[in-house]
Amino acid sequence: GASATVSIGCSRTFAGGSASTPAMRADATRAYFGDNDGRLIALDSSCGQAWSLDVGGQIVGAIAVSSDNHELYAATQTAIVKVVDEGDHGEVAWHADLDAYVPAEGDQTSYNLLLASIGANGIGVSIGAGLPPGTLADVALPVAVGYGVLDRETGELRSFADGLEESIAEMNIGPDGAYYSPNSPLRRAFARVLDPSARPLEGGIRKFAPQNE
């Protein structure tokens, strides 16, 4: 039978490294990734740069690409940023409201912990409270963790569930609108060394079900 070969169709290089995995638009006309200088970069199907945009911090993991409205959701170590691909440029629509906690200590803040998960009318996020990146290490050290839903149009925090475990993977959205998240307490393990009174670590998987009030 005929054999198939794989070859490089095009490539793009840039200075520095990246903590971001390339993400594709559904029509394959755009690829998105982040460089190490806080820029979100959009490439066309020939690997030419369509545009770049400073989002205020190095993007981690894959950018969440919506199947409608050309919306992108980029996660940094502390923030979630919504960007709209306008064709010849990208435009920041909002920086998420992540003030889920009133920190107990003066040097603690609230920040993003995970990638964004896109729903029909909301964006799933994980929010932690603790020492931000750069305080004692290059990563956040949360002592409290929870999961919430952002308004897709405004970035405001619509709902939040406190007191459960962190993840270093991703959330998945089920057909019932629930979020499914693995418990992977890596950062909290280091945080408990600093604050032994923090909750014990927990493994497993959790489901966060929507509630109608």
Side-chain angles (χ1 to χ4, degrees), residues 139-173:
V139 297
L141 297 175
V143 295
V145 177
Y147 291 81
V149 177
L150 302 173
D151 185 279
R152 188 166 167 175
E153 291 301 315
T154 67
E156 294 181 359
L157 188 62
R158 288 184 3 205
S159 61
F160 184 74
D162 185 26
L164 301 176
E165 197 53 88
E166 70 159 325
S167 171
I168 56 172
E170 64 178 10
M171 286 186 292
N172 288 300
I173 304 175

Side-chain angles (χ1 to χ4, degrees), residues 34-88:
D35 68 10
N36 67 335
D37 292 323
R39 288 186 292 264
L40 190 162
I41 298 173
L43 302 183
D44 61 26
S45 56
S46 299
C47 298
Q49 181 170 303
W51 51 261
S52 70
L53 178 68
D54 189 343
V55 296
Q58 186 181 31
I59 296 170
V60 295
I63 295 157
V65 181
S66 172
S67 60
D68 58 349
N69 301 326
H70 302 298
E71 296 173 0
L72 313 171
Y73 297 87
T76 73
Q77 283 201 67
T78 56
I80 296 289
V81 184
K82 177 181 176 179
V83 174
V84 179
D85 186 340
E86 298 287 3
D88 61 350

